[in-house]
Amino acid sequence: MSLDERYEPSAVEQAAQQYWDSHNTFTAHEDNAREKYYCLAMFPYPSGKLHMGHVRNYTITDVISRFQRMQGKHVLHPMGWDAFGLPAENAAIAHRVSPAQWTYSNIAYMKQQLQSLGLGVDWSREIATCKPEYYRWEQWLFTRLFQKGVIYRKSGTVNWDPVDQTVLANEQVIDGRGWRSGALIEKREIPMYYFRITDYADELLSSLDELPGWPEQVKTMQRNWIGKSRGMEVTFPFDADLKAAGLGEGLKVFTTRPDTLMGATYVAVAAEHPLATHAALNNAALTAFIHECKSGSVAEADIATAEKKGMATGLTVQHPFTGEALPVWVANYVLMNYGEGAVMAVPAHDERDFAFAQQYQLPIQPVIATSAGNTTPAPWQDAYAEHGTLINSGEFNGLTFESAFEAMEARLKARHLGQSRIQFRLRDWGISRQRFWGCPIPIIHCDSCGDVPVPEADLPVVLPEDVVPDGSGNPLNKLPGFFECACPACGKPARRETDTMDTFVESSWYFARYMSPQYQDGMIDPAAACYWQSVDQYVGGVEHAILHLLYARFFHKLMRDEGLLHSNEPFQRLLTQGMVIAETYYREATGGKKLWFNPADVTVERDSKGKPVGATLNSDGQPVIIGGIEKMSKSKNNGVDPQSLIDQYGADTARLFMMFAAPPEMSLEWSDSGVEGASRFLKRLWKQVVDHLAKATPAMLAADTLDDHQKALRRKTHETIAKVTDDYGRRHTFNTAIAAVMELSNDIGRFNDDSPQGLAVEREALESAVLLLSPIVPHITHSLWAALHPGTAAVDQSWPVLDEQALIRDSITLAVQINGKLRAQIDVPADADKAAVETLAQANENVQRFTAGKTLRKVILVPGKLINFVISD
RNA sequence: GCCCGGGUGGCGAAAUUGGUAGACGCAAGGGACUUAAAAUCCCUCGGUUGGAAACGACCGUACCGGUUCGAUUCCGGUCCCGGGCACCA
């Protein structure tokens, strides 16, 4: 195939994509004869159009997939759609179109966009989670887990919008108000279904150690999230009147610091705690305070940053050892669904209790000798929370944390007032959503039989696709055709559950469905599960480091325990891609609502140093407010559309630029400049191949006949192969791989040797450059390779092989330091020993100047790098 | 508030295990080619400073301190920015 003089991306890209399509290049089959490699990108939510984060994510997995393919692996690289979710309902409300229609048309558009990127994806395995073929297996698994007791029902707290009469997501609560109604949000208790993820807490924690291919950072976040701690359950006995009121024997709390028990000066309970409810019966002020605590969102960040408030109940409980009466307070920082919904407060040794005690003049009793002293004066110091020797604790004085723990436990046990316990921060996973566009929960409520799972033969429970939500509650509640049914157990009229599942459920097992996406007889084809096992490399945004990855790990274990999968962990290696972030711009509309403007529609004014001083909207020239840099998102309207980039420069330039701009794990602040450079490089490479082909036919390369100049280029070629192979395979730093090939290309450009061996060396360098770049820019390299080797395809080539012989050098350049400061550079023979290097270095004029009249203390030689003379006066 | 990251030229970044800070690219300036422009090619490009030049000196990786012959890298502290916090995905 001959090469056009000019590089025309659109023609080149079309030709390459047609070749791959017509050869089914990326279709994956189970093939036990070959080693498999399952490479997976976190699948996209079909929000409307591709954003830069998608381009980054799928280019990374494509580069890894193509690299592994050239290494001889049998690669699975699938793609699909995380298709249920809130934005579809919002679009439905805004545009009066059904969520299904909106979602399917987005999928169609985005699929065509993804295909224009030239991804080596097996599209025959495409899935969409909103299709009954997919979610029927989710419902099937749900019914099995429900029967097994892994799923159960209890009450949970949600954000309630009293005006729209609807449950709101945390995202829809802004400054404590509903985003549409503006109404003050209330917390409300409703029944929900829960997965017993806490039953797997220990394994989710311990098997993190089996994942050396995961970033330490992510494992740390997961460990902290699961939050295993050993502590003490302590009961503070009630007085007779409380016992008489039927509230039990005492107030149960959990503490990780039982050694400070003698310093407890009050106890605090959540607003929803039965003791608070009891105390409020004849106390209007307390009733009002409890009501106030129930306003605002349920988000932990809101609760934790809210002003700490409390009110005394007038009740007391007894200290378990001293019998002292401790006041009971209601506090907004105590959470009902955390531990026992009550805490013992030790202001001397807990920062939050300390602040609370200061605010309400509660006593502070130090009971630990800390490095900050034996008192706890304001302001708070971190040292107050240290472990130390017990003081002011009667019989426990002098004990350490560990011995106090044991002594306290023995004494509590003897009085039946407590015992040690392992506590997890992790809570069971509530999956009920009062929303339409999600997978229906396959449960039927029968007055006689209770909660009955839908029998397998009646699955799937199909979500109607022609419904348009209006923003007031779940439309399924208004569809008798959906919820009216007969009890599968007794046949009496019953009501179908109308809540749908958290969309995290679909994304917790899609990686397994890709193994056999069309399989009709079960969730996964056993043969496929056997071959593909688990994902070798998973790639996705770091924002999913906790929730999605934890839920997927949990589901993998659930499915393993159902006999569906045969490994312990779903993702062997994990690459967390940094976010693509961009500046945000907004104006405040009446009522404080923010209107966000896209960076493409805004002009930024800068001062002489390049710092932004203001910004105006292009359409009206009026100023907008610069809102700070944030992750590209629909809600902040700061996404940059990659389509214009692809249209203008082609997919290869877009891919190259994305990979070159930063290493994958780093967040990438978007800027338009730099794209030009990527495009320029591809044009230059194209021209180098054109020019090379116009010259005479190269001779067979005879490596041992080369002159120094030829040897140097050949060495550069093989140094580049070594570097790029390591960058792709181990480091995943595609930016430095590209830089290395650019250096090689620069050397080729400077190499001017049209002798037969010169051309042979140049040919090897060019072929290597083309293959090394092919995972990143597969289209242009497809054309270039076809021109260099007519009748063959770059995608089917094996990875370039390193020739160690080509790397050998005769002499090397060493840095010469004096007291660690660079003073000279010398060339030494590659095989010179330390003494020879020292002699050569000391002969250097600069070295003599700096060492004259000084005493040489030490010589440090780092072979191949530097020699350092340590001197003194 | 809590947990996890990040901060290096005008800009994106590199320096992989403690060993030559700024590779590679963008922008900018100068030059060649051109009637001109675009494109392309060549040169300069962290700061201060000495020198006619060749070539040097000092400072410099957010800030303060420490360990080391040597620190962008390790340790302690501070500031700023980003992500997550269980109903955005």
Side-chain angles (χ1 to χ4, degrees):
Chain A
M1 189 182 125
S2 70
L3 223 44
D4 291 337
E5 198 59 30
R6 252 176 70 90
Y7 166 50
E8 296 286 354
S10 57
V12 164
E13 289 175 8
Q14 210 181 352
Q17 288 175 19
Q18 265 169 18
Y19 179 91
W20 302 325
D21 284 348
S22 62
H23 289 77
N24 289 322
T25 303
F26 301 110
T27 308
H29 308 278
E30 287 78 67
D31 175 1
N32 286 314
R34 289 169 67 195
E35 192 183 346
K36 64 96 187 181
Y37 192 91
Y38 183 179
C39 184
L40 182 66
M42 291 179 185
F43 63 168
Y45 177 78
S47 54
K49 51 189 181 183
L50 239 48
H51 57 68
M52 289 295 175
H54 292 132
V55 176
R56 197 179 194 195
N57 199 166
Y58 309 132
T59 304
I60 293 169
T61 50
D62 198 35
V63 170
I64 295 171
S65 296
R66 288 171 180 270
F67 171 71
Q68 292 295 339
R69 194 172 189 279
M70 290 175 83
Q71 299 269 9
K73 304 271 177 60
H74 190 54
V75 172
L76 169 58
H77 184 209
M79 186 59 72
W81 308 95
D82 186 14
F84 277 136
L86 198 52
E89 288 188 51
N90 295 334
I93 296 162
H95 306 117
R96 299 218 175 86
V97 29
S98 73
Q101 198 188 327
W102 183 83
T103 303
Y104 289 130
S105 80
N106 286 350
I107 287 176
Y109 181 72
M110 289 173 73
K111 181 176 180 178
Q112 159 260 310
Q113 281 193 303
L114 282 178
Q115 287 176 324
S116 78
L117 279 172
L119 303 177
V121 158
D122 180 358
W123 285 102
S124 72
R125 291 177 187 251
E126 179 181 1
I127 55 176
T129 57
C130 62
K131 293 197 170 166
E133 304 93 90
Y134 181 82
Y135 64 69
R136 68 171 292 190
W137 299 110
E138 188 166 305
Q139 294 175 336
W140 172 82
L141 185 68
F142 184 101
T143 60
R144 304 216 7 151
L145 295 173
F146 182 79
Q147 281 156 342
K148 218 176 164 183
V150 173
I151 295 170
Y152 66 99
R153 200 175 192 223
K154 72 165 183 184
S155 94
T157 317
V158 295
N159 302 308
W160 179 253
D161 183 325
V163 170
D164 277 350
Q165 292 282 300
T166 195
V167 176
L168 294 184
N170 284 336
E171 190 193 48
Q172 298 171 312
V173 180
I174 296 157
D175 298 328
R177 291 172 180 274
W179 68 345
R180 289 165 59 80
S181 67
L184 281 171
I185 295 307
E186 300 163 5
K187 297 185 185 76
R188 181 174 272 211
E189 300 279 320
I190 58 165
M192 302 210 291
Y193 289 96
Y194 285 83
F195 277 80
R196 277 189 213 280
I197 191 171
T198 51
D199 277 3
Y200 284 76
D202 255 319
E203 198 199 337
L204 287 166
L205 193 61
S206 62
S207 59
L208 285 171
D209 298 334
E210 297 164 25
L211 296 171
W214 277 43
E216 215 43 61
Q217 168 210 152
V218 173
K219 289 192 278 188
T220 304
M221 279 194 266
Q222 294 221 346
R223 281 189 194 106
N224 292 340
W225 184 263
I226 296 167
K228 184 178 184 173
S229 60
R230 183 163 173 264
M232 199 79 71
E233 233 172 60
V234 182
T235 301
F236 289 73
F238 287 147
D239 294 330
D241 53 334
L242 280 176
K243 286 182 187 167
L247 290 160
E249 291 300 305
L251 179 70
K252 204 191 252 188
V253 305
F254 177 82
T255 176
T256 55
R257 289 298 302 272
D259 59 319
T260 63
L261 182 53
M262 301 305 279
T265 56
Y266 67 100
V267 295
V269 300
E272 298 85 355
H273 195 279
L275 206 51
T277 313
H278 175 78
L281 283 177
N282 299 309
N283 186 337
L286 191 58
T287 304
F289 178 69
I290 290 171
H291 184 74
E292 188 193 330
C293 287
K294 287 180 181 172
S295 72
S297 100
V298 300
E300 191 190 311
D302 292 339
I303 294 164
T305 51
E307 192 195 340
K308 307 281 176 288
K309 284 183 189 170
M311 186 174 278
T313 58
L315 304 174
T316 59
V317 292
Q318 299 164 13
H319 191 282
F321 294 160
T322 65
E324 184 190 347
L326 301 181
V328 178
W329 283 67
V330 176
N332 65 351
Y333 65 81
V334 183
L335 306 179
M336 193 57 213
N337 52 5
Y338 245 58
E340 307 291 339
V343 298
M344 72 175 204
V346 184
H349 303 290
D350 178 278
E351 185 170 7
R352 205 175 46 184
D353 296 344
F354 179 82
F356 195 83
Q358 293 264 305
Q359 189 179 344
Y360 294 104
Q361 280 98 49
L362 291 157
I364 298 172
Q365 164 73 342
V367 288
I368 305 288
T370 67
S371 64
N374 292 349
T375 56
T376 311
W380 172 264
Q381 297 175 38
D382 289 342
Y384 298 158
E386 286 169 358
H387 287 186
T389 310
L390 271 65
I391 54 171
N392 302 328
S393 297
E395 62 184 281
F396 303 104
N397 280 342
L399 296 180
T400 62
F401 175 83
E402 289 78 14
S403 51
F405 196 108
E406 280 174 34
M408 297 273 181
E409 180 171 24
R411 184 111 188 249
L412 286 165
K413 272 182 168 169
R415 297 183 168 210
H416 303 288
L417 289 176
Q419 59 184 328
S420 68
R421 184 178 92 192
I422 298 295
Q423 169 81 20
F424 290 99
R425 204 189 77 97
L426 182 68
R427 313 198 289 261
D428 275 343
W429 176 17
I431 55 109
S432 294
R433 298 291 178 269
Q434 300 67 47
R435 284 187 227 303
F436 168 72
W437 191 234
C439 171
I441 291 176
I443 290 284
I444 289 166
H445 302 287
C446 171
D447 286 341
S448 324
C449 310
D451 289 7
V452 182
V454 174
E456 188 170 349
D458 296 344
L459 293 177
V461 177
V462 176
L463 185 74
E465 291 199 345
D466 53 357
V467 174
V468 181
D470 61 5
S472 65
N474 182 350
L476 291 177
N477 282 323
K478 299 165 202 161
L479 288 176
F482 179 82
F483 64 74
E484 284 177 356
C485 62
C487 171
C490 69
K492 282 189 214 154
R495 187 180 166 99
R496 190 182 298 285
E497 172 69 52
T498 54
D499 280 359
T500 54
M501 289 191 223
D502 182 359
T503 58
F504 270 125
V505 179
E506 285 86 61
S507 57
S508 293
W509 67 280
Y510 74 110
F511 58 89
R513 187 63 185 171
Y514 278 140
M515 295 176 186
S516 55
Q518 274 106 34
Y519 190 59
Q520 298 288 315
D521 303 325
M523 207 166 178
I524 315 164
D525 179 351
C530 228
Y531 182 70
W532 297 109
Q533 287 283 326
S534 59
V535 175
D536 292 271
Q537 179 70 59
Y538 196 34
V539 180
V542 66
E543 68 271 25
H544 297 292
I546 295 176
L547 290 181
H548 162 61
L549 287 168
L550 191 69
Y551 293 147
R553 293 180 61 223
F554 170 53
F555 247 73
H556 190 90
K557 292 173 196 296
L558 290 177
M559 291 167 75
R560 175 201 64 192
D561 292 347
E562 288 294 310
L564 297 162
L565 292 169
H566 312 293
S567 54
N568 289 330
E569 284 287 332
F571 313 121
Q572 298 310 312
R573 290 185 72 183
L574 174 70
L575 192 160
T576 47
Q577 140 203 335
M579 259 155 311
V580 182
I581 53 182
E583 196 68 77
T584 57
Y585 305 96
Y586 68 93
R587 277 181 194 158
E588 240 164 280
T590 45
K593 221 175 182 182
K594 285 174 178 171
L595 274 176
W596 300 92
F597 298 103
N598 195 275
D601 304 326
V602 169
T603 303
V604 180
E605 293 111 49
R606 292 169 189 279
D607 65 15
S608 56
K609 286 176 185 157
K611 287 215 166 149
V613 289
T616 53
L617 188 66
N618 295 339
S619 58
D620 61 12
Q622 296 303 305
V624 292
I625 300 163
I626 301 178
I629 296 159
E630 291 189 57
K631 111 173 138 163
M632 283 191 181
S633 74
K634 232 179 164 164
S635 58
K636 297 286 166 67
N637 190 19
N638 62 339
V640 176
D641 187 2
Q643 195 60 49
S644 57
L645 193 63
I646 298 167
D647 292 345
Q648 193 179 350
Y649 294 97
D652 278 342
T653 294
R655 293 170 58 121
L656 180 68
F657 173 65
M658 260 294 173
M659 293 300 96
F660 186 55
E665 279 168 313
M666 202 179 277
S667 63
L668 192 159
E669 189 181 335
W670 180 256
S671 85
D672 288 328
S673 62
V675 180
E676 216 35 81
S679 164
R680 213 148 41 207
F681 171 66
L682 292 181
K683 281 186 205 158
R684 204 154 49 221
L685 185 70
W686 182 277
K687 189 165 184 302
Q688 282 181 334
V689 175
V690 169
D691 290 351
H692 174 83
L693 289 170
K695 295 176 189 169
T697 307
M700 281 288 290
L701 182 70
D704 45 2
T705 68
L706 302 181
D707 64 28
D708 283 354
H709 199 222
Q710 293 163 346
K711 264 192 199 158
L713 180 59
R714 184 145 196 274
R715 183 166 58 236
K716 186 72 181 177
T717 299
H718 285 271
E719 281 172 354
T720 307
I721 292 171
K723 162 97 181 127
V724 171
T725 306
D726 187 44
D727 283 353
Y728 277 133
R730 181 181 63 90
R731 297 215 303 155
H732 289 153
T733 49
F734 310 112
N735 56 330
T736 53
I738 294 165
V741 181
M742 283 175 169
E743 282 188 54
L744 176 61
S745 165
N746 289 343
D747 280 9
I748 295 171
R750 281 187 285 266
F751 185 74
N752 248 322
D753 181 348
D754 291 352
S755 71
Q757 280 303 314
L759 288 176
V761 170
E762 184 173 285
R763 165 69 63 122
E764 187 192 26
L766 277 172
E767 287 183 1
S768 302
V770 166
L771 291 182
L772 293 176
L773 282 176
S774 68
I776 294 173
V777 284
H779 308 92
I780 186 174
T781 50
H782 177 84
S783 288
L784 294 177
W785 183 263
L788 290 161
H789 285 271
T792 64
V795 73
D796 294 325
Q797 301 310 304
S798 41
W799 193 246
V801 177
L802 172 66
D803 178 1
E804 299 276 356
Q805 290 297 311
L807 299 179
I808 295 170
R809 291 168 178 272
D810 299 331
S811 72
I812 48 177
T813 305
L814 279 192
V816 183
Q817 294 184 338
I818 290 161
N819 286 347
K821 269 185 182 292
L822 180 70
R823 293 301 180 190
Q825 297 208 345
I826 54 170
D827 279 332
V828 299
D831 55 0
D833 61 11
K834 188 176 177 186
V837 171
E838 209 174 314
T839 312
L840 284 166
Q842 275 177 332
N844 183 280
E845 181 193 343
N846 232 8
V847 173
Q848 296 197 339
R849 186 155 60 89
F850 278 92
T851 53
K854 307 285 173 75
T855 314
L856 182 62
R857 298 280 176 204
K858 205 170 169 187
V859 180
I860 293 158
L861 179 75
V862 182
K865 296 254 180 191
L866 61 79
I867 182 163
N868 185 17
F869 295 101
V870 183
I871 58 169
S872 62
D873 291 320

